[in-house]
Amino acid sequence: MPRSATDRRRRRFPATFLIVLAMALAALGTPAFATSPAVRTTTAADASLPCDIYAAGGTPCVTAHSTTRALFAAYNGPLYQIQRSSDRAYRDVGVLAAGGYADAASQVSFCAGTSCTITKIYDQTSRHNDLPISWGGYWKGPGPNGSDVGADAMALPVTAAGHQVFGVKVTPGVGYRLDHASGVATGAQPEGIYMVTSSNYTNQWCCFDYGSGENSHTDTGNATMNAIYWGNACWFGGCTGSGPWVEADLENGMFHTNTGSNKDPNNPGVHHPFVSAWLKNNGTTNFTLKYGNGASGGLTTTFSGPLPNGYSPMKVDSSVLLGTGGDNSPSGQGEFFEGAMTTGYPSDATENAVQASITAAGYGTGGGGGGTPGPLRAVGAGKCLEVPGGSTTPGTQTQIRDCTGAANQTWSQSTAHELTVSVGGSRLCLDASGQGTSPGTKVITWSCNGQSNQQWTLNADGTVTGAPSGLCLDVTGAATANGTPVQLWTCNGQSNQRWTLD
């Protein structure tokens, strides 16, 4: 039943003419949005979000899961739930405004000085198909009584339209699942699925999935699953390239095609920081696989044809899963930002319009959370910039030390020109102390605040300069000993002012 007007958790408006316009433009190959993703804002008046588009196409969403943004223009409820380890308290992370992006700042403050786990991913539809941590299955997870575990809430910081948000980093053993979900396709009923993931973190094992699985959490035979698999698996052997690829987990096999393997020389693998992955299955005669760059462009169809032998008609069960296989195979890994499942077999025009909505969301690896993280190495000393002892105390002066690969030596550069580090569940920025602009100013860590003394330029000559001062990041006294502090100093071309961000 629809929620009342006072239920802020799940509200949506009927689809409007804007959705139809977006679909028509996408079908013509015309971008549905002219506004730059970096400045685009989403409000309840914007009816071009994925599940509004699916509804307008006659294939409504029956699940809508995301930790980054609303998937309905009118949605104004929680996106996901987190629990912090220090006191076991819970918090729901919602959106900044109806139809908008996640309020990640509430997570950052809630988790400061401790660690947090994603314990539930809310369904934005009125069906309440929320995903809790899976209780396990035939393959046992690493949690209590063989259950799976939740993802580290701070492990996947990214941006969407310049807003800091967090994805779900599925490491082996992480899994979410709801059995007997409401309204999802079962048996041979048609179904569409998409998710936004990444090429940055994959493996060849079973199974980083999103879609339909068995309520029993055991393998109940061919055709009892219909889920997107994303990874490097070549289940049937003889694949072209090394992946990762979009595949269909139909149980007892991840299928690139109806015969199993990928023989397409034009499909050796998909490599984008953000990838949209697509599967639709009419239950009897056809399944289709597609992918897209989650930041720009349209969709590529890698297969559309008959179901594999022995898989028609489908016998899909009503469990919804994320991160594991149908029998709880827990060894896959991947990243998840958003996804939805539909009733019916979505049209190409509908999927093209949803892809336009994804690219308009403005996913990026900078701004609030970081690009690909790595060590910031001091060339002259051959050592790494670190936060001493992994301190979460704002004002801690940074120093150099032998490179260990630890979190307190792992930095990310954002599109906002910040250099960020995540320690003890806290995200901190490299900061010129006291907004100083004179030689000798201490370089510290501080809570990220967007001010210019937290903006840095990585120059082609290896220097790192502060935005307001133009001074160079400098290892004090050109020393090479562990514990040498770092400061700002007049740029002089010496090796103690040269850095590499690996």
Side-chain angles (χ1 to χ4, degrees):
M1 294 178 61
R3 287 289 190 171
S4 69
T6 59
D7 186 348
R8 292 169 58 84
R9 182 162 172 240
R10 294 175 171 85
R11 295 187 299 164
R12 51 177 170 163
F13 293 157
T16 69
F17 170 76
L18 288 176
I19 310 170
V20 179
L21 176 62
M23 291 172 59
L25 289 170
L28 292 171
T30 304
F33 308 98
T35 305
S36 167
V39 298
R40 178 177 181 266
T41 58
T42 306
T43 68
D46 179 359
S48 54
L49 295 186
C51 286
D52 300 311
I53 296 169
Y54 275 122
T59 52
C61 292
V62 290
T63 73
H65 299 114
S66 176
T67 59
T68 60
R69 64 170 182 152
L71 301 182
F72 291 95
Y75 186 73
N76 198 23
L79 298 177
Y80 58 104
Q81 178 191 78
I82 56 178
Q83 182 183 34
R84 63 186 176 198
S85 61
S86 58
D87 60 1
R88 314 304 293 170
Y90 291 90
R91 173 171 290 189
D92 285 343
V93 178
V95 290
L96 294 167
Y101 297 93
D103 180 14
S106 67
Q107 172 178 313
V108 172
S109 62
F110 183 73
C111 301
T114 185
S115 60
C116 282
T117 298
I118 298 173
T119 49
K120 184 186 296 183
I121 304 171
Y122 288 107
D123 175 26
Q124 298 176 33
T125 79
S126 61
R127 295 184 175 275
H128 308 284
N129 289 322
D130 305 335
L131 292 177
I133 296 171
S134 172
W135 53 260
Y138 176 81
W139 293 101
K140 303 301 183 184
N145 301 313
S147 68
D148 294 343
V149 294
D152 179 349
M154 305 298 292
L156 189 53
V158 296
T159 59
H163 300 277
Q164 179 186 4
V165 294
F166 291 88
V168 182
K169 188 165 187 175
V170 175
T171 56
V174 169
Y176 299 87
R177 195 154 180 170
L178 174 68
D179 301 324
H180 305 286
S182 170
V184 299
T186 57
Q189 294 174 332
E191 180 178 51
I193 312 170
Y194 91 92
M195 71 170 168
V196 176
T197 180
S198 173
S199 300
N200 289 341
Y201 184 66
T202 62
N203 69 13
Q204 74 271 37
W205 306 116
C206 181
C207 299
F208 178 64
D209 286 351
Y210 177 64
S212 296
E214 300 97 327
N215 290 318
S216 65
H217 296 213
T218 60
D219 181 347
T220 55
N222 295 354
T224 56
M225 290 183 65
N226 186 58
I228 297 172
Y229 168 81
W230 170 250
N232 307 73
C234 183
W235 185 266
F236 297 93
C239 294
T240 297
S242 58
W245 303 281
V246 179
E247 306 172 45
D249 189 345
L250 307 178
E251 193 52 282
N252 296 319
M254 281 81 79
F255 290 85
H256 296 257
T257 64
N258 64 314
T259 58
S261 295
N262 163 42
K263 306 293 186 182
D264 185 354
N266 296 314
N267 186 27
V270 183
H271 300 281
H272 301 298
F274 299 94
V275 175
S276 61
W278 309 74
L279 166 64
K280 56 185 174 182
N281 188 334
N282 73 4
T284 54
T285 62
N286 178 275
F287 77 105
T288 296
L289 297 168
K290 301 179 182 180
Y291 72 86
N293 182 340
S296 63
L299 297 176
T300 298
T301 300
T302 58
F303 178 79
S304 184
L307 287 160
N309 289 337
Y311 286 76
S312 178
M314 294 291 293
K315 308 174 185 67
V316 176
D317 214 344
S318 59
S319 180
V320 176
L321 53 83
L322 170 64
T324 65
D327 58 2
N328 201 57
S329 304
S331 298
Q333 62 185 40
E335 298 178 352
F336 178 86
F337 303 101
E338 64 178 74
M341 299 164 57
T342 75
T343 57
Y345 189 81
S347 69
D348 289 341
T350 296
E351 291 175 327
N352 289 342
V354 174
Q355 169 68 4
S357 173
I358 293 167
T359 61
Y363 280 111
T365 54
T372 302
L376 186 60
R377 300 178 188 271
V379 173
K383 297 183 177 180
C384 285
L385 182 70
E386 71 164 18
V387 184
S391 173
T392 59
T393 303
T396 300
Q397 186 170 9
T398 56
Q399 63 184 29
I400 60 168
R401 186 168 293 277
D402 294 330
C403 298
T404 64
N408 67 320
Q409 294 183 352
T410 302
W411 300 85
S412 296
Q413 183 189 21
S414 76
T415 54
H417 302 289
E418 298 162 327
L419 285 169
T420 67
V421 62
S422 293
V423 287
S426 297
R427 174 179 172 270
L428 300 171
C429 275
L430 197 67
D431 178 291
S433 181
Q435 300 187 358
T437 57
S438 60
T441 297
K442 295 179 179 180
V443 176
I444 62 174
T445 53
W446 197 266
S447 301
C448 298
N449 55 32
Q451 295 180 3
S452 62
N453 64 312
Q454 295 183 351
Q455 296 174 357
W456 305 87
T457 301
L458 275 63
N459 301 297
D461 64 359
T463 58
V464 178
T465 50
S469 67
L471 299 177
C472 276
L473 191 66
D474 178 286
V475 178
T476 303
T480 60
N482 286 335
T484 301
V486 175
Q487 62 180 2
L488 290 179
W489 199 261
T490 305
C491 298
N492 54 32
Q494 295 182 14
S495 63
N496 66 313
Q497 294 183 350
R498 298 192 185 280
W499 305 82
T500 61
L501 180 60
D502 295 338

